[in-house]
Amino acid sequence: MTACNHAGVAGAADGAVLFGGVQLEQQPGDSLETLANRAYAAIFSFIEHYGYPHLWRAWHYLPQINDPEQGLERYRRFNVGRHEAFVASGRGINEDSVPAASALGSSSGPLVIYFMAGKQPGKPIENPRQVSAYHYPSQYGPRSPTFARAMVATLGKQQCFIISGTASVVGHETLHVGDVQAQTQETLRNIRVLQQQAQVADTGKMLLKIYLRYAEDMLPVREQIKAEFGECEMVFLQS
């Protein structure tokens, strides 16, 4: 494992995969759009510098993700900055060039982005039950989210199936608002469809990170997941 540090991004690489992270404090006068653009410009410089140019997966943590900023929701501001960084780097916004990703809200702190990148491209996977995020209609903001629903990548001799932040979205709309168990069931259905699209079977090595808005929902959601996938490694985070 080799430590990597470049352009304000720190991480490590093992010859097959590069993992890194960046965090930026939003200063007075900065917009989240500007911050997202700056973060992604640094990420692209980092992965190109170390020879892992293919972005496989990104995890985003945005403070006050649903709050308004200059007349637009902060998540939508983030999407504009991310999109513009992809374009500026010469990367397309299509099924061949966007990573699997998730974006979660935090109560405070900096913009934090963790990511995995590889020397070879992964295979993006889309869900036929859902509109691809990068094709979302304009009602979701000036720029669509820049991510694929899942990614298949090879780490050495091991094939890895990396699922994006997956919610109870069908088409481009969230279903079952206010009903956490119905939303969980819809989410599990979307994961199963992604597995089918990728032709990936359960292997007993499933690792799940589950984000919940309300901590009291953890136990019933855990039982639903166990009923669907059996015993698997789960981490719950409130967001």
Side-chain angles (χ1 to χ4, degrees):
M1 190 73 69
T2 303
C4 304
N5 199 312
H6 176 74
V9 183
D14 67 357
V17 62
L18 172 66
F19 183 85
V22 60
Q23 63 179 42
L24 295 175
E25 294 281 356
Q26 188 169 355
Q27 303 298 329
D30 283 345
S31 68
L32 189 56
E33 176 182 331
T34 300
L35 215 62
N37 193 311
R38 191 182 305 157
Y40 262 93
I43 289 169
F44 292 144
S45 177
F46 180 81
I47 63 179
E48 293 285 351
H49 178 79
Y50 286 105
Y52 294 79
H54 302 285
L55 197 58
W56 290 344
R57 177 67 161 94
W59 294 262
H60 308 94
Y61 300 90
L62 319 180
Q64 292 88 42
I65 189 171
N66 297 131
D67 284 1
E69 181 178 286
Q70 300 174 14
L72 196 65
E73 183 190 49
R74 280 171 59 79
Y75 175 59
R76 300 182 186 196
R77 284 274 171 219
F78 170 82
N79 283 333
V80 173
R82 173 171 56 175
H83 181 280
E84 297 305 326
F86 268 77
V87 172
S89 73
R91 295 166 183 263
I93 310 293
N94 55 55
E95 62 273 11
D96 296 321
S97 57
V98 298
S102 54
L104 288 306
S106 58
S107 59
S108 61
L111 166 66
V112 177
I113 304 176
Y114 297 107
F115 59 89
M116 292 172 61
K119 292 185 175 181
Q120 301 299 324
K123 179 185 177 183
I125 304 295
E126 291 298 320
N127 184 344
R129 301 183 76 233
Q130 299 173 320
V131 175
S132 296
Y134 44 82
H135 289 155
Y136 271 16
S138 59
Q139 72 193 72
Y140 295 100
R143 291 288 184 266
S144 297
T146 309
F147 69 90
R149 298 292 179 183
M151 181 76 67
V152 176
T154 302
L155 280 68
K157 296 181 179 180
Q158 182 179 4
Q159 189 180 65
C160 187
F161 179 52
I162 308 166
I163 303 171
S164 287
T166 301
S168 57
V169 172
V170 176
H172 55 75
E173 297 180 326
T174 298
L175 301 187
H176 319 299
V177 174
D179 186 338
V180 67
Q181 291 190 289
Q183 287 197 323
T184 300
Q185 202 58 48
E186 201 72 65
T187 300
L188 294 171
R189 190 174 296 121
N190 281 329
I191 291 172
R192 282 299 192 192
V193 171
L194 285 169
Q195 287 180 302
Q196 293 165 7
Q197 293 298 111
Q199 299 181 332
V200 174
D202 290 347
T203 64
K205 297 179 181 179
M206 181 174 283
L207 311 175
L208 295 176
K209 185 182 289 184
I210 301 104
Y211 298 96
L212 296 174
R213 187 176 291 264
Y214 304 110
E216 59 266 28
D217 291 330
M218 187 181 77
L219 291 180
V221 169
R222 184 198 295 273
E223 291 307 309
Q224 283 183 267
I225 294 171
K226 285 174 63 177
E228 181 70 29
F229 294 125
E231 293 292 341
C232 59
E233 189 169 337
M234 290 182 257
V235 175
F236 286 83
L237 294 176
Q238 189 173 11
S239 69

